[in-house]
Structure formats: C-alpha cells, structure tokens
Amino acid sequence: MKILYAAIAFALLGASAATAAGNKVLDHHVTHMKTGNLEEVLADYAPDAVIVTPAGMISPNGVFIGKDARKLFSVLTSKDNLPGNKTMQVTYESLSPDTTLMRWLQFKGTPKQVSGYDVFVIRGNKIVFQSVTVDAKK
C-alpha cells in the first residue's frame, strides 16, 4: 500500500510541476501578447505547433501549422489589436498535466467586450497545440 501512495504522490508532484511550467509559459505568452512583442510570442511555440482558430477569423480554414503561426500572430499582435490585448484578463484551469484551459476577456464592461477560451497543450516548455474559441456575442 505504501508503494501505491508513493506512486500517487509522485504523479501528483509531477503534474503540479508540469502545470507550474505550463503556467509560466502562458504567463510569458500573455505578457508579450499585451505588449505586441511578436518574436517573444512566437518563442513560446514548438516549431511544429498546431493552432486552430475560428475559420475565417484570420484565414479561411483557421489552421496554422509551424511557421504559419507568424501569419496569425502578426495580425494578433498588430497595432490594431493591441488595445484589446492590453485589456486582456486571463484565468487558467489545469485540465491535465500538459493541458490548460485559459479563459480570456478583453474590453471588460464596454460595448467592445469580447471573451473566449483557448486550450493549450504544453510540452517541453513549448506550446505544441492551441485551439481558440471566441464566445458568441450576447
């Protein structure tokens, strides 16, 4: 029984460390989205990362793979989107040791308010997968 408890404790500590590392990556990501620092945002992604956004948001199919991330984040960190990024508020919810749900809100309490959530898979301190969902306007 002691071995079982030790295995559970080890698994929980490993999950906690993975979650903390993932949160550090996401904190870096959000900080640089807010400042519009394209190169620092791209540094968070693995070379073969897959990002899925709503179709038509920036590209017809909404899928960005590897170097295509630059196209996506060139738009999202542009001066036109910086005002929304600066107001962004986020919360994280760990879904598994390498998967985090990030809820976000921009322009809180104004007619421009927009919210949504992203699911991130982070391995080796790099984002390997991200899906973006924008909440429907109420």
Side-chain angles (χ1 to χ4, degrees), residues 14-95:
S16 191
T19 302
N23 287 356
K24 185 176 179 182
V25 170
L26 292 179
D27 287 343
H28 182 269
H29 180 71
V30 170
T31 294
H32 293 288
M33 286 293 296
K34 287 183 172 190
T35 62
N37 188 329
L38 174 62
E39 296 308 319
E40 285 296 319
V41 168
L42 292 172
D44 295 327
Y45 289 85
D48 57 350
V50 175
I51 306 163
V52 180
T53 67
M57 185 172 103
I58 294 178
S59 78
N61 69 4
V63 178
F64 300 84
I65 300 172
K67 293 180 181 181
D68 290 341
R70 179 171 291 279
K71 294 175 192 170
L72 171 65
F73 289 107
S74 290
V75 173
L76 294 180
T77 60
S78 71
K79 65 178 181 168
D80 293 337
N81 288 305
L82 202 52
N85 292 349
K86 286 182 178 183
T87 69
M88 186 166 43
Q89 299 174 3
V90 299
T91 59
Y92 306 139
E93 178 184 338
S94 177
L95 302 178

Side-chain angles (χ1 to χ4, degrees), residues 1-10:
M1 200 55 135
K2 287 183 182 180
I3 294 173
L4 176 61
Y5 290 135
I8 292 170
F10 181 76

Side-chain angles (χ1 to χ4, degrees), residues 115-135:
S115 62
Y117 58 91
D118 293 13
V119 175
F120 291 90
V121 177
I122 301 168
R123 295 189 180 134
N125 293 321
K126 295 290 184 183
I127 299 166
V128 297
F129 176 82
Q130 177 183 0
S131 68
V132 179
T133 302
V134 178
D135 293 333

